[in-house]
Amino acid sequence: MAIQWYPGHMHKAQKQIKEVMPKIDLVIEVLDARIPFSSENPLIHKLRGDTPCIKVLNKSDLADPELTERWRQHLEQEKGVRAIPLCTIKGNQTQQLLDLCRSMLPNKGTVDKPIHTMICGIPNVGKSTLINTLAGRIIAKTGNEPAVTKAQQRIKLEGNIILSDTPGILWPKFDNESSGYRLATTGAVKDTAMDYDDVAAFACEYLIGAYPELLKARYQLDELPEYEVELMEVIGAKRGCLVRGGHVDFVKVATIILNELRDGTIGEITLETPEMAVTEQAAVDEMLARKAEEEEQNGKKKKKRRRR
């Protein structure tokens, strides 16, 4: 599956970040706690350079708590990075984020030396909701549709912290196919950019191996089918997602499964582990290096042909 969804304003956001970064003391990158690797934008690491960073594991109430802690430890292995689980509906947690900002920059946070922060993240990770919670008022438009924020703004927070907001940005293509599926599973890409039943099948395959007991409990199953398509058929039959001839309507059952996964009805689920991320990133790096080498060779061949 190749998901490509890259509105023009996202390209503009990259330029804005480059322009603002020299004035920024601290970057706050909002990740989805269910997919910290797949919801992380590799551009942020390049754009921020040595600027300290807080990685917010947002929507932690929907994620597996044990895996969230493992992800926190994994992310903090990177120099200058702190990670904090967060659920924006719990106001005291957002206060912990502000406290962490001040502790990372103890020589700033005064009237004369405010802490200049920038918040960023891919669409639909809850960035706008977090901004509104931090500000204590409605500033950023929120919604279940990705890419709601389209303009940059500066917000003054308590404790002499100034927050620069940027539109959500997403890389132009998904170099890691599994990350594309996970982003689609959690709703980080528009539903029009994917095949529902294909994404649900991917999710079911993972859940059968990682969270079998949650599936059994939610869908009242004594035993789980071995394969994802069989699981979707069983759930579809139980939920009455049938068409003429008694066949399962896979789009309907896919909609049920994805909605119940996204809202936490199935349970606290994380769709990737740090170990998976390391393995997949290594494969992506190898693929990109191979592509770069091929492009270089092709470029040399073209030059030779032009000289003839």
Side-chain angles (χ1 to χ4, degrees), residues 22-263:
K23 305 172 185 175
I24 297 299
D25 300 310
L26 178 68
V27 174
I28 299 173
E29 183 179 9
V30 185
L31 308 175
D32 187 323
R34 299 167 296 178
I35 51 169
F37 170 63
S38 296
S39 62
E40 186 177 41
N41 193 312
L43 289 171
I44 300 302
H45 175 75
K46 294 177 182 178
L47 292 172
R48 73 176 178 86
D50 295 329
T51 305
C53 179
I54 296 175
K55 292 184 182 287
V56 175
L57 293 165
N58 201 27
K59 304 185 181 183
S60 61
D61 55 316
L62 300 174
D64 183 329
E66 181 181 337
L67 275 174
T68 298
E69 175 55 24
R70 282 172 55 193
W71 270 110
R72 186 192 66 77
Q73 294 178 22
H74 176 77
L75 292 169
E76 290 191 348
Q77 291 176 15
E78 185 179 345
K79 184 180 178 182
V81 171
R82 296 290 303 275
I84 180 172
L86 203 68
C87 173
T88 47
I89 61 175
K90 298 179 180 178
N92 62 321
Q93 290 191 358
T94 54
Q95 184 59 50
Q96 291 173 22
L97 174 59
L98 295 176
D99 292 342
L100 183 56
C101 290
R102 286 187 285 269
S103 69
M104 290 181 70
L105 296 162
N107 296 324
K108 293 200 171 186
T110 64
V111 175
D112 296 332
K113 291 184 179 180
I115 298 173
H116 291 272
T117 67
M118 182 181 70
I119 189 166
C120 54
I122 69 166
N124 217 29
V125 291
K127 180 168 69 78
S128 295
T129 302
L130 176 57
I131 290 170
N132 292 337
T133 305
L134 288 169
R137 62 190 189 280
I138 303 299
I139 291 177
K141 184 179 178 182
T142 62
N144 291 327
E145 279 290 302
V148 169
T149 307
K150 295 187 180 180
Q152 189 178 35
Q153 51 188 334
R154 284 159 55 90
I155 305 119
K156 188 172 182 180
L157 306 177
E158 65 174 80
N160 297 303
I161 296 175
I162 297 173
L163 185 69
S164 293
D165 179 27
T166 57
I169 58 174
L170 197 68
W171 50 101
K173 58 184 177 181
F174 299 88
D175 295 316
N176 181 25
E177 186 179 41
S178 293
S179 287
Y181 273 109
R182 293 181 198 122
L183 287 160
T185 297
T186 58
V189 293
K190 289 183 177 180
D191 290 345
T192 53
M194 65 183 191
D195 293 324
Y196 240 61
D197 50 348
D198 194 25
V199 175
F202 172 87
C204 285
E205 181 182 16
Y206 176 79
L207 294 175
I208 287 171
Y211 296 99
E213 297 308 315
L214 290 182
L215 284 176
K216 287 180 184 178
R218 176 58 192 163
Y219 299 109
Q220 300 178 349
L221 303 172
D222 295 327
E223 296 294 333
L224 283 183
E226 186 176 355
Y227 300 106
E228 62 275 12
V229 174
E230 294 173 346
L231 176 61
M232 292 175 70
E233 287 177 338
V234 170
I235 295 173
K238 275 183 166 287
R239 294 294 183 90
C241 302
L242 303 174
V243 294
R244 187 174 297 177
H247 300 293
V248 170
D249 185 330
F250 279 96
V251 174
K252 279 189 177 180
V253 70
T255 301
I256 289 172
I257 292 168
L258 290 176
N259 285 342
E260 294 192 346
L261 189 153
R262 290 172 181 175
D263 65 18

